[in-house]
Amino acid sequence: MTKIKICGVTRIEEIDYINKFKPEYIGFIFAKSKRQVSLDTAIRLRYRLSKEIKSVGVFVDQEIEKVEKIAQKVGLDVLQFHGQEDRSYINHFKEYEVWKAILVSNKRELFKMYPYKNIRLLFDSEQGGSGKPFDWNIIKKCHLEKQIILAGGLDCDNVVEAIQKIHPFAVDVSSGVETNGVKDAQKVKKFIKKVREFS
């Protein structure tokens, strides 16, 4: 079954309906972004989150000590690195599940994934966080289904097609379930329902 991550959660009311709809993961963004959350906010949101749902912290080229502090204080389950973090950087976080983002614009970009064998890879569009999909055919023949988290421009209208093509471990959505820049409960519900029914 394809798992689901709702990323860029920032408000208590979002946690409340996400608890009801039960995706496997939610994401807190700690890097510069319009969806960035403070440490204190993330702690409050994580405290309210159902124990059945895992929390993912999204970081971009931040100091190891800062990431460790946030991960411990919030109680993160997964660390997602979206910058230039290399394998030696990632090796500092052996006690956590780690996802590494690969920004895809063409097949040459796939060479970036080779240093990150044995961890899950999040494939996103070249402008991560843009809400625009990339050409899924680029990764269609990677044969990494159990490793792939598919992101970038997913929404209720295209997520089933994406799963049919890529068969990813998980799909990751943020702006695709928003209205006017805010998570929309009905869009979240519809997105999750579509994935569950297809899976």
Side-chain angles (χ1 to χ4, degrees):
M1 185 177 74
T2 303
K3 300 183 186 301
I4 300 164
K5 173 174 166 246
I6 308 296
C7 198
V9 176
T10 60
R11 302 179 302 143
I12 288 290
E13 51 265 48
E14 294 170 359
I15 293 289
D16 289 342
Y17 59 70
I18 283 170
N19 282 341
K20 190 191 308 182
F21 303 147
K22 292 184 169 52
E24 283 76 20
Y25 302 92
I26 68 160
F28 299 129
I29 299 177
F30 297 101
K32 189 174 181 181
S33 162
K34 62 183 179 182
R35 302 179 188 91
Q36 182 176 3
V37 292
S38 67
L39 176 58
D40 288 344
T41 297
I43 290 170
R44 288 198 300 273
L45 297 174
R46 178 68 178 84
Y47 180 78
R48 199 174 180 103
L49 183 67
S50 167
K51 291 180 181 177
E52 299 173 24
I53 302 171
K54 292 185 176 181
S55 57
V56 181
V58 180
F59 302 91
V60 179
D61 297 323
Q62 283 153 277
E63 294 177 1
I64 288 170
E65 294 75 15
K66 183 175 182 180
V67 175
E68 287 177 335
K69 177 185 175 183
I70 292 171
Q72 290 170 7
K73 286 187 174 292
V74 177
L76 296 175
D77 300 295
V78 181
L79 306 181
Q80 178 181 320
F81 296 117
H82 239 277
Q84 302 300 313
E85 303 89 355
D86 60 17
R87 193 64 203 233
S88 63
Y89 178 101
I90 287 171
N91 286 343
H92 284 277
F93 303 100
K94 289 187 170 75
E95 67 271 35
Y96 294 95
E97 181 177 348
V98 171
W99 298 354
K100 179 68 179 78
I102 305 291
L103 304 185
V104 180
S105 58
N106 55 64
K107 287 186 178 180
R108 291 191 302 275
E109 300 296 309
L110 297 183
F111 287 109
K112 294 177 181 177
M113 72 186 185
Y114 291 110
Y116 305 106
K117 287 183 179 180
N118 305 319
I119 65 173
R120 292 207 163 99
L121 301 172
L122 184 143
F123 288 99
D124 200 350
S125 53
E126 188 176 19
Q127 299 297 321
S130 67
K132 296 179 181 178
F134 62 93
D135 181 359
W136 299 323
N137 290 313
I138 293 173
I139 64 169
K140 190 175 179 181
K141 295 182 180 180
C142 284
H143 305 295
L144 292 169
E145 288 84 354
K146 292 181 181 178
Q147 280 182 259
I148 291 176
I149 298 103
L150 185 63
L154 295 178
D155 57 30
C156 298
D157 295 326
N158 66 13
V159 67
V160 169
E161 180 189 355
I163 295 170
Q164 284 176 317
K165 273 195 171 184
I166 306 301
H167 306 288
F169 165 78
V171 288
D172 184 332
V173 65
S174 184
S175 62
V177 291
E178 291 180 349
T179 299
N180 298 323
V182 175
K183 295 290 181 292
D184 182 315
Q186 291 309 308
K187 287 184 179 179
V188 172
K189 181 180 181 180
K190 185 178 179 182
F191 185 91
I192 292 174
K193 184 180 180 185
K194 286 213 166 192
V195 175
R196 297 286 188 243
E197 286 179 348
F198 180 76
S199 297

